[in-house]
Structures are given as structure tokens and as C-alpha cells.
Amino acid sequence: MPLLRSARLALLTGLLHDRTVRLAVTGLSGSGKTVFITSMVHNLLSAVGHPARLPFLRAAAERRLRAIRPHAPGAETIAPFPVHEAIAALAADPPHWPLSTTDVRRANLSLRFAPAGFLGRAAGGTAELGLEILDYPGEWLLDLPLLGQSYRDWSRATLERARRGVRALLARDWLDFLARHPADSAADPEVVQRAHGLYRAFLAACRTQQQLSLLQPGRFLNPGQIADLSQLSFCPMPLAIGAGTREGSIAALMEARFESYKRNVVQPFFTQLARGVDRQIVLVDVLCALNDGEEAFADQRLTLETILGVFRFGRRSLLRLLFGARIDRVLFAATKADHVPALQRDHLEALMANLVAVPTLRAQAAHAWVAATALASIRCTEDGTDTIDGRKVDVVIGLPEGSERRIRFFPGIVPVTPPPGEFWGERFTEFPVFQPPRIAPAAGDGIPHINLDKALDFLLGDTLA
């Protein structure tokens, strides 16, 4: 009888603990998605034999991780995440940053661990967690709100933004072209293609010249694998209030392609993405936005609010209504925390938390978990001090890419709340691109980081308990 009870208890423990978690990793261009996944996978593999590599991941610190193995890719529609290529880049001499991914990628791990709870201790043995990590361009997230918008509403909002601030000068050629080709004029494929090209050039200039973030549709700048590129040939048009689009007009053709894009590109992607996703991490380069100026910072904040609106929790979540998604944990992480000294990292985390404070309260009211942190997936610097104008200041010390000499870098003071107008009188600072540390290609010592373990404990700790 004791043996039978033990077997039953072990079976119950397995049912409770053997599961699969699907983690979606996203962030806008340059936020560090590839680096995050590479460091996450390499450090998890290293933590089995070297738990001190992830001291704040409780399962590692308590030495309950027994084995972690990657799954070989099968005959699947989603390409595997290039872990080996990314590790090879970091192990090269000199090391360099791995290439960014521009389409959907997936990494699969199997984590064997000893449960920590009463049932786990009573039954002994181990449990298994399947971890599926999805990487996709964060720009594509901005397409999800289009599913709830008409062509008219999207056009009006986009044109209003295009006529304000730094966008206005960049949009001049596109807007002048639209003025010469009214929305109700006869549809001409060459005119439509030219208008689309000018709009796409406007979006590209917004990103490269002014570092703006709210650029829709996301696939105009990062199309991924789309069989029929004609579905992308549209742009916003100024439409008369209350008037419909005339059949055979430019606006009617644009509207038809807008609806086709939503139906054939956006909806299938998010149906595939959202099905079964449990956890989400959104990587945000807050420091870069501070450096790029007031309008870039405000635009990044608006982009965050748009993304948070997409992932709003509760029964009326757009993701849940459309796809039945049940994302119960989201972590917003300010990246490149190694570019500021230790005390400033607390400021960076506080600023990140402030940027998502209202949506966080809303999510908590819906019994979901949302948190903010500051992290460096790969730590490239060490802390130090320097003297500036006779005053001792905290700095970071690192090797800029392409340089042979390490520098002492003072980043300035990171604000803990969105800065007031007077903050923007001059540039915040100019951040160098630091060379990553060279690592061993085989998992062992892992990759140096800041707060990666805390992030993993928030995202996965309950599933490894």
C-alpha cells in the first residue's frame, strides 16, 4: 500500500508540474531581442552545473534544475532561433553582436527540475517543463490595433500625427503627392504604388532620422515572409468626413488593400502567435529614447501604451476576444542597464515602471501580473569612478566596438519619471556601442548579465516551483 500511494502521489505531481509554457519575446527595433534569447538559453544551460550564474532564479539557486536540453527543430512552419550562430558571434575573436532576426523564430527547451512544494518533496523524483520561446519583430505588434480600426479611422489618426512635430517635415513629399491626387480620383495602380512608396519612405525616415516608434503598418519596414507583396501597396488617404469611398477610386483601392492586409497578413499571424501564449516580455531601449530627444521619448511612450492596450488583460482583452489568448504575466524591461552605473540602474527601473504604471494597475485589477525591470542580457561593462570638473562621479568602463582602448563613460543622471520640458534643452548623452565580452561556445560559465535571473524568475519561477 505505501508503494501504491507513492506511485499515485508521483503521478499527481507529474500532472501538476509537467507542462509547456510559451514565452513571447518582443521589442522594437534595436531593443535586444536576439541578445536576450541567446543569453537566456545559454545561461539556463549553464545553470545546471553552475547555479551561481543565475542566483536569483530560485530553481537554480536551490539546485533544483536537473537537466536542460534544447529540442531539435522538426518539420515546422516557424524557423528555429539561430542559437548556435549567435553564440559563435559572441565566441569569435574579437567577439561581435549577433545579427538581428527579422521574422518569427522559435527556440524550444526542456527543463527537468525537482519540484519545491509539498507534493514534490513527498513524491520525490522530478518534473518537466517545456519552454517555447517565440521571437518576432516588435513592429508587428503595432499592427494588431489595426484589426479594430476602419481604414478611415486609421487614415485620420495617421495623418494627424504626420502633420505635427518632427514628422511634418519628413512627410512633406508624401503629403504633397496626396494633395495632387485626391482620394476620389480614378484608381491608377502607378499612382497608388507611388503614394505607397512615398509613405514607406516617410516611415523609414521617421525611424532612422528621428528614432520614432509608432510607425504603422509594422510590416512596411519589416515585411518578413509575405508571398503577395501587393497587399502592402496602400497608405493613409485624407477622406471627407461622413463620405464613403467612391467605387473605382484611389481611396477604394487603398481601403480594399488595407482590409486584405488585415485579413490575410495580420490576423493569421496573431492567430498563430497568440494561441497558447502564456508569458510576454517586452524589451524597451529607454536610454536610447532619452538620448534621441523629447519627441522620440514621447513617441516611444505612446507606442508602449499602444502595445499595452493590445495586451490589456481581463475578459474584454482584444487578444482574448479575437484569439482566446490567456497571457497572465508580462514583464517590461528597460535594456542596456550595463550602460549606466549601479545607482542609476534603480533610476532606470523606476522610469520603466513609471512609463507603464497605469496599465500595470489595470492589469493587477484583472488578476494578472505585470512588472517592470532594468536588465542587461549581456553585460559589457564594469562599474568604476571618474573625476569630472573636480567632482567624483560613478561611471561604467567598457571597450567601444572597433576600439583598442577601454573608456570611462559617464551617462548622466537617468530621471525616475518622464522628464519635464526643461530636461530636453540639450541631448541627454551619446551612448557608445560597447563590444560584448568573449564567451566560451560550450555552455559552462554562461554569459555575464544584469538582472536576467530576476526576469526569468518573474516569468518562469512559478512553473519551476
Side-chain angles (χ1 to χ4, degrees):
M1 287 297 292
L3 186 61
L4 181 60
R5 284 197 298 271
S6 176
R8 288 175 176 171
L9 193 57
L11 176 61
L12 178 59
T13 302
L15 290 174
L16 289 173
H17 285 283
D18 290 356
R19 59 173 295 193
T20 296
V21 169
R22 208 174 189 210
L23 170 66
V25 178
T26 192
L28 299 179
S29 179
S31 60
K33 299 182 298 296
T34 299
V35 171
F36 176 84
I37 295 175
T38 302
S39 181
M40 174 184 180
V41 171
H42 198 68
N43 278 312
L44 281 172
L45 292 171
S46 300
V48 175
H50 298 81
R53 176 50 66 195
L54 298 172
F56 288 100
L57 176 61
R58 284 168 292 174
E62 295 166 2
R63 297 182 177 272
R64 292 189 291 104
L65 292 179
R66 297 290 185 258
I68 298 177
R69 65 181 188 278
H71 286 290
E76 301 172 343
T77 57
I78 300 178
F81 181 84
V83 173
H84 297 300
E85 292 85 345
I87 292 298
L90 295 170
D93 186 14
H96 57 273
W97 294 106
L99 296 175
S100 299
T101 53
T102 57
D103 211 324
V104 184
R105 296 290 184 267
R106 176 165 56 194
N108 291 85
L109 297 176
S110 176
L111 287 75
R112 200 79 181 162
F113 66 99
F118 169 76
L119 287 176
R121 291 194 302 269
T126 59
E128 187 163 318
L129 173 69
L131 178 59
E132 182 178 329
I133 308 163
L134 286 170
D135 171 29
Y136 60 95
E139 290 85 351
W140 295 1
L141 272 180
L142 294 172
D143 285 352
L144 184 56
L146 300 181
L147 295 175
Q149 288 182 294
S150 68
Y151 175 69
R152 177 182 298 277
D153 291 341
W154 173 68
S155 290
R156 182 174 60 251
T158 305
L159 285 163
E160 285 177 359
R161 284 196 300 272
R163 294 182 174 118
R164 296 197 307 262
V166 296
R167 279 179 166 90
L169 180 61
L170 301 177
R172 185 172 55 190
D173 290 346
W174 168 56
L175 294 177
D176 287 348
F177 186 83
L178 293 185
R180 297 194 303 272
H181 298 86
D184 61 352
S185 59
D188 181 337
E190 290 187 6
V191 170
V192 170
Q193 188 61 37
R194 177 61 175 159
H196 162 74
L198 289 169
Y199 177 66
R200 186 183 178 280
F202 158 64
L203 294 181
C206 286
R207 184 170 70 178
T208 58
Q209 296 181 32
Q210 297 295 334
Q211 291 72 49
L212 301 179
S213 307
L214 187 49
L215 307 172
Q216 295 172 310
R219 297 224 184 209
F220 278 24
L221 296 179
N222 190 351
Q225 301 297 319
I226 297 181
D228 183 8
L229 290 176
S230 68
Q231 295 177 96
L232 302 183
S233 296
F234 64 88
C235 72
M237 293 287 292
L239 303 173
I241 297 175
T245 55
R246 183 177 64 82
E247 185 176 354
S249 66
I250 291 178
L253 180 56
M254 295 279 198
E255 182 176 36
R257 289 180 174 176
F258 174 80
E259 295 298 335
S260 174
Y261 176 74
K262 293 196 299 179
R263 182 174 59 253
N264 298 321
V265 178
V266 181
Q267 178 117 17
F269 169 70
F270 279 100
T271 299
Q272 178 190 49
L273 168 72
R275 187 184 297 118
V277 170
D278 304 283
R279 309 289 161 94
Q280 177 91 13
I281 181 168
V282 180
L283 304 174
V284 184
D285 192 349
V286 178
L287 292 175
C288 183
L290 283 171
N291 178 63
D292 292 330
E294 183 174 13
E295 194 154 349
F297 185 84
D299 202 64
Q300 185 187 76
R301 188 176 189 180
L302 181 58
T303 303
L304 276 176
E305 291 174 357
T306 302
I307 293 173
L308 278 166
V310 168
F311 289 97
R312 186 174 298 161
F313 299 95
R315 287 177 292 180
R316 296 196 61 81
S317 159
L318 181 58
L319 276 175
R320 183 171 296 187
L321 288 172
L322 290 174
F323 311 117
R326 296 176 180 271
I327 299 174
D328 56 13
R329 287 184 185 235
V330 175
L331 179 64
F332 285 86
T335 57
K336 301 180 182 176
D338 59 332
H339 285 46
V340 297
L343 290 177
Q344 294 296 307
R345 289 169 205 145
D346 292 339
H347 287 208
L348 184 59
E349 180 174 321
L351 179 59
M352 183 77 258
N354 188 283
L355 291 174
V356 296
V358 173
T360 295
L361 292 174
R362 186 169 61 232
Q364 290 171 344
H367 306 291
W369 293 84
V370 179
T373 190
L375 61 78
S377 303
I378 298 178
R379 183 171 187 171
C380 307
T381 68
E382 60 190 60
D383 291 340
T385 60
D386 200 358
T387 301
I388 299 178
D389 296 331
R391 184 168 59 95
K392 187 176 181 181
V393 296
D394 293 325
V395 299
V396 294
I397 305 169
L399 178 66
E401 268 193 332
S403 175
E404 297 181 356
R405 294 183 57 188
R406 284 155 53 93
I407 64 169
R408 294 176 178 268
F409 176 66
F410 175 65
I413 305 299
V414 178
V416 297
T417 59
E422 56 268 22
F423 175 88
W424 305 105
E426 56 186 60
R427 293 177 69 87
F428 174 61
T429 191
E430 191 69 45
F431 288 96
V433 178
F434 288 110
Q435 179 178 293
R438 191 180 184 194
I439 67 168
D445 291 337
I447 300 175
H449 62 85
I450 295 173
N451 291 339
L452 176 68
D453 47 353
K454 293 180 180 179
L456 294 181
D457 197 65
F458 174 81
L459 293 166
L460 304 175
D462 62 316
T463 66
L464 296 170

